Amino acid sequence: MQNAKDLNEIKKRIFPPMVEGNHTLASVSDKIGDVTLKKRTPFGWFVGFAIAFLVAQILLFTILYLVTKGIGIWGNNQPVGWAFDIINFVWWIGIGHAGTLISAILLLLNQKWRTSINRFAEAMTLFAVACAGLFPLLHTGRPWLAYWLFPYPNTMGMWPQFRSPLMWDVFAVSTYATISLLFWYVGLIPDFATLRDRAKNPYFKFVYAALSWGWRGSARHWHRYEIAYLLLAGISTPLVLSVHSIVSFDFSVAQLPGWHATIFPPYFVAGAVFAGFAMVLILCIPLRHWYRMKDFITDTHLILMGKVMLATGLIVCYGYAMEAFFGWYSGAQYELYMVKNRIWTGPYWWSYWLLILCNGLSIQLLWFKRFRESEFWLFLISIVVSIGMWLERFVIIVTSLHRDFLPSSWAMYSPTVFDWSMFLGTIGFFFTLLFLFVRFLPIISIFEVRTLLPEANVHGHHEEFEDNILMSQESEK
Amino acid sequence: MDRKIYGLLAEFDTATQVVDAARKIREAGYKKTDAFSPFPIHEMDEALGIRRSILPYLVFAGGVAGLLTGLGLQWFVHVYDYPIIVGGRPYFSLPSFIPPAFELTILFAGFAAVFGMLFLNGLPQPYHPVFNVPRFALATREKFFLLIETKDPKFDYEETKRFMHSLSPQEVFDVEE
């Protein structure tokens, strides 16, 4: 019979620990809680926040100018009637999807590594959806009348047109934003209670007390809480798949070559998760450095995220191959022309090949352990993938629209400075919100990390039994 | 006694201890009990005899209500109130109506899950007698607590206190009303 030390080593190899270092229930609460409560705000935070806030002002000025002058200040016009506004909308919404995937789907699949990254991934989702929503809202031209999109009895006797994919979008995105907010808030309630009980500053204590709604960790409450949390995960899973499917219907329901393809819903969902994981990596690599959270966001987490990125990236590449194949297999001259125009004869051929370089070739590095284990390479590949996913939407939208059925209506598209300033501005807005989140809320779910600690296990006979099975399996080998 | 007692609160150091103690409390016949912990302990449901919540049924009802609202709304708009032909499709074009109906199903089920949970838990509840025990602040950090309320028919201050001490807790506190 082997001894207990061997058993621990075997366990460690089969189930790599999700929390490193010698943490206890108290030290976990202190380490994560102190970022918001005790530590002096680091100087770097002020620098980062100032930069993000300044960039967000560009958004404000662009919106001001846009509202006074009208959407003519953007570069989109016939035949490219949709450009940056929908590219950026789809890009941001897609980024948000990784947050829901991590918080909901990985919860259902019992993937314990989600626990220390779900909180800020969900925050990322909310802020990305906020950025995404701005684009269609402002593209309506008169955003103060955007409530017309919702069905409400009115003196005009008008109703929205529910057979339109754009209307489906309104329902999908508003439901997605609401459910994501609820999911995030429910996850925060026990952590607000922890902060309430630890805060020394009376104002902070009051605010956290109000936000915790009087949570006291009662067993009866936890019982219902866990049911609610699991059910929310259960309904968020089909929700997140439906949202990007519906976004893809905006295109695939139209007759336009390059848009009218059945591959779109799964291909868009995979692309969304791909882009989202890239953004999670971009955010969590610096975050775990600056806030010394490497015990919670371990190298194992980064490696696993790299693998998810590789898998979804390959699905996306399959989508690119199928798009071209559908065009050829259809035998329709317009579809064939679209493929040729997009890939080599058209004026935007470079955008297609840049896309393949960013999304197709760069991720092949992730096959190798060396690159998956390097923070630098993961960060770099994530940035390249984010650019690639933006290019993907550019290729789908612009190269399909600019040359449709009638050569007499062909035209080129180029963005104006206001297209760029609006896009850049939303990036500033996104990071402004993220900096505020990191400062005022617990960036890692404290109560869920507690459940990962060995202390959280209630010891009983079944545990001994499982250990024995594990040992006998090992000795057979 | 000049102060009113809400119940007795025992503090424990580990999850295993608190679950064992909860089992003993239940076996001793106490009904008005509760446990407090910094994270959910699944064994506690069985130990304290917590019955399965009706929440899942509420969520299901919420989902059905959302689906009916979605389909009903679209029927009302496109068949009853303002029938208009779009793209040669019938007035009640079900395939086109599925996405909004689906989203409303999710939305209402989500509301039912969150607000149903808060309602059944009686939250928000800013004040509760257990907060009067200063050590209780550790229930959201690292300690575990068991409560027996005075409302319990078996409750007798002296005897219950002795019983709770027999569970070998760190300490037993009087919870003032």
Side-chain angles (χ1 to χ4, degrees):
Chain A
M1 194 67 193
Q2 288 151 298
N3 57 25
K5 198 175 145 244
D6 283 341
L7 178 70
N8 280 340
E9 301 228 313
I10 293 167
K11 273 191 175 172
K12 207 169 167 176
R13 204 181 61 233
I14 302 178
F15 315 107
M18 286 302 143
V19 179
E20 284 177 1
N22 292 317
H23 277 289
T24 60
L25 290 174
S27 75
V28 164
S29 315
D30 295 349
K31 177 131 189 171
I32 305 171
D34 283 357
V35 172
T36 31
L37 288 178
K38 284 243 187 79
K39 289 227 180 79
R40 279 187 53 221
T41 313
F43 181 68
W45 185 90
F46 286 105
V47 176
F49 179 76
I51 295 171
F53 192 66
L54 275 178
V55 177
Q57 302 315 302
I58 300 175
L59 176 69
L60 213 59
F61 279 105
T62 309
I63 292 176
L64 179 71
Y65 191 61
L66 183 84
V67 169
T68 49
K69 293 291 272 190
I71 54 168
I73 63 167
W74 287 343
N76 42 339
N77 208 332
Q78 292 301 347
V80 186
W82 264 5
F84 265 43
D85 46 342
I86 192 93
I87 296 171
N88 297 335
F89 165 73
V90 181
W91 190 70
W92 278 119
I93 280 276
I95 284 173
H97 279 29
T100 320
L101 182 101
I102 290 169
S103 57
I105 302 183
L106 295 186
L107 180 76
L108 294 184
L109 297 177
N110 205 9
Q111 294 293 308
K112 293 226 177 330
W113 59 279
R114 72 176 268 289
T115 301
S116 42
I117 50 173
N118 68 341
R119 172 67 47 73
F120 77 83
E122 285 169 36
M124 177 192 86
T125 296
L126 283 175
F127 306 152
V129 172
C131 290
L134 281 175
F135 287 96
L137 179 76
L138 292 166
H139 195 197
T140 58
R142 286 181 284 172
W144 50 93
L145 296 178
Y147 62 90
W148 284 9
L149 289 165
F150 290 97
Y152 71 102
N154 54 63
T155 49
M156 299 175 288
M158 304 269 275
W159 289 106
Q161 210 283 88
F162 286 107
R163 296 181 191 94
S164 160
L166 297 181
M167 204 56 225
W168 305 344
D169 245 7
V170 171
F171 277 78
V173 174
S174 56
T175 299
Y176 185 50
T178 312
I179 296 290
S180 302
L181 182 68
L182 287 176
F183 205 175
W184 190 59
Y185 190 78
V186 166
L188 274 165
I189 290 174
D191 285 0
F192 280 138
T194 299
L195 294 181
R196 168 197 71 201
D197 291 340
R198 285 187 46 70
K200 295 276 186 293
N201 179 323
Y203 298 105
F204 273 77
K205 203 177 180 73
F206 178 79
V207 171
Y208 289 128
L211 289 170
S212 74
W213 290 18
W215 181 263
R216 53 185 188 272
S218 151
R220 288 162 214 284
H221 290 185
W222 278 123
H223 170 75
R224 297 192 191 98
Y225 180 91
E226 286 221 291
I227 293 176
Y229 204 63
L230 199 63
L231 286 173
L232 271 180
I235 59 172
S236 296
T237 300
L239 173 67
V240 69
L241 300 181
S242 83
V243 172
H244 231 60
S245 297
I246 288 174
V247 167
S248 82
F249 291 159
D250 290 348
F251 306 102
S252 57
V253 168
Q255 309 280 307
L256 193 75
W259 286 6
H260 194 60
T262 48
I263 188 89
F264 263 43
Y267 156 55
F268 264 54
V269 171
V273 173
F274 183 45
F277 266 86
M279 187 56 94
V280 173
L281 278 168
I282 291 175
L283 299 179
C284 82
I285 290 174
L287 204 65
R288 72 183 206 134
H289 265 291
W290 291 338
Y291 286 98
R292 299 197 174 74
M293 290 292 170
K294 286 194 181 175
D295 287 348
F296 305 122
I297 306 171
T298 63
D299 293 336
T300 317
H301 285 92
L302 300 189
I303 292 167
L304 288 169
M305 284 193 265
K307 285 182 183 168
V308 174
M309 228 162 73
L310 176 62
T312 47
L314 291 173
I315 301 175
V316 169
C317 291
Y318 174 78
Y320 300 149
M322 278 304 114
E323 269 191 317
F325 174 76
F326 283 0
W328 168 76
Y329 192 70
S330 73
Q333 59 165 330
Y334 300 111
E335 291 280 345
L336 276 171
Y337 179 75
M338 182 280 297
V339 173
K340 237 168 54 182
N341 181 56
R342 182 179 282 181
I343 297 177
W344 72 89
T345 61
Y348 294 111
W349 64 271
W350 51 270
S351 64
Y352 185 82
W353 291 105
L354 263 181
L355 153 72
I356 296 296
L357 183 73
C358 291
N359 284 359
L361 290 180
S362 80
I363 56 161
Q364 303 308 325
L365 291 176
L366 293 171
W367 286 107
F368 303 100
K369 213 172 174 187
R370 231 187 84 210
F371 293 98
R372 281 203 308 268
E373 283 178 352
S374 145
E375 280 188 319
F376 170 79
W377 281 103
L378 276 177
F379 190 74
L380 193 71
I381 293 170
S382 299
I383 294 215
V384 169
V385 165
S386 293
I387 297 170
M389 284 308 294
W390 188 89
L391 280 166
E392 179 195 301
R393 280 70 181 241
F394 180 89
V395 166
I396 291 174
I397 289 152
V398 175
T399 67
S400 305
L401 278 170
H402 89 120
R403 289 184 176 175
D404 63 355
F405 304 96
L406 271 183
S408 61
S409 64
W410 290 358
M412 290 295 285
Y413 165 77
S414 58
T416 64
V417 63
F418 298 107
D419 281 307
W420 286 111
S421 68
M422 176 115 185
F423 179 43
L424 188 69
T426 52
I427 294 176
F429 181 50
F430 176 76
F431 279 99
T432 304
L433 293 173
L434 262 179
F435 273 107
L436 290 174
F437 159 70
V438 165
R439 177 64 192 82
F440 292 107
L441 298 176
I443 48 176
I444 293 175
S445 173
I446 305 174
F447 87 91
E448 282 175 297
V449 169
R450 285 186 195 124
T451 62
L452 295 182
L453 298 173
E455 279 181 73
N457 293 327
V458 174
H459 299 291
H461 294 296
H462 66 279
E463 216 173 35
E464 219 171 274
F465 180 68
E466 279 168 12
D467 286 353
N468 283 337
I469 293 178
L470 208 63
M471 292 293 265
S472 61
Q473 278 173 349
E474 278 300 308
S475 53
E476 271 170 34
K477 282 182 202 163
Chain B
M1 244 187 320
D2 53 342
R3 52 198 186 127
K4 245 187 124 204
I5 301 281
Y6 175 79
L8 287 168
L9 191 70
E11 179 189 321
F12 295 88
D13 260 354
T14 69
T16 311
Q17 283 170 9
V18 81
V19 170
D20 286 345
R23 277 205 189 98
K24 283 181 195 145
I25 284 186
R26 192 185 171 202
E27 280 158 16
Y30 288 101
K31 294 271 180 323
K32 293 267 173 208
T33 56
D34 207 350
F36 304 91
S37 57
F39 54 85
I41 303 173
H42 296 137
E43 290 82 354
M44 194 54 102
D45 296 350
E46 169 263 312
L48 271 187
I50 297 174
R51 274 191 305 177
R52 195 167 161 74
S53 171
I54 58 156
L55 189 61
Y57 299 99
L58 291 186
V59 176
F60 180 73
V64 171
L67 180 71
L68 294 178
T69 307
L71 289 176
L73 173 74
Q74 294 177 90
W75 173 85
F76 176 79
V77 167
H78 284 320
V79 180
Y80 181 79
D81 196 49
Y82 202 138
I84 187 169
I85 292 177
V86 175
R89 279 172 263 182
Y91 288 136
F92 192 79
S93 16
L94 186 61
S96 299
F97 292 169
I98 286 175
F102 175 79
E103 299 301 333
L104 285 181
T105 307
I106 301 280
L107 186 68
F108 282 35
F111 280 140
V114 174
F115 296 111
M117 182 270 285
L118 291 173
F119 173 78
L120 293 173
N121 280 351
L123 298 174
Q125 187 184 7
Y127 174 77
H128 190 276
V130 287
F131 290 131
N132 290 334
V133 178
R135 288 283 289 178
F136 188 74
L138 294 174
T140 57
R141 184 157 176 261
E142 56 172 332
K143 298 292 182 193
F144 305 84
F145 294 87
L146 277 177
L147 172 78
I148 300 181
E149 292 178 27
T150 41
K151 272 186 287 181
D152 194 289
K154 249 193 120 219
F155 189 89
D156 172 85
Y157 183 76
E158 295 304 327
E159 203 204 316
T160 307
K161 194 158 194 174
R162 213 173 309 122
F163 170 69
M164 286 186 104
H165 273 296
S166 76
L167 303 170
S168 57
Q170 294 298 303
E171 219 175 326
V172 177
F173 305 94
D174 293 351
V175 181
E176 289 178 33
E177 191 80 60

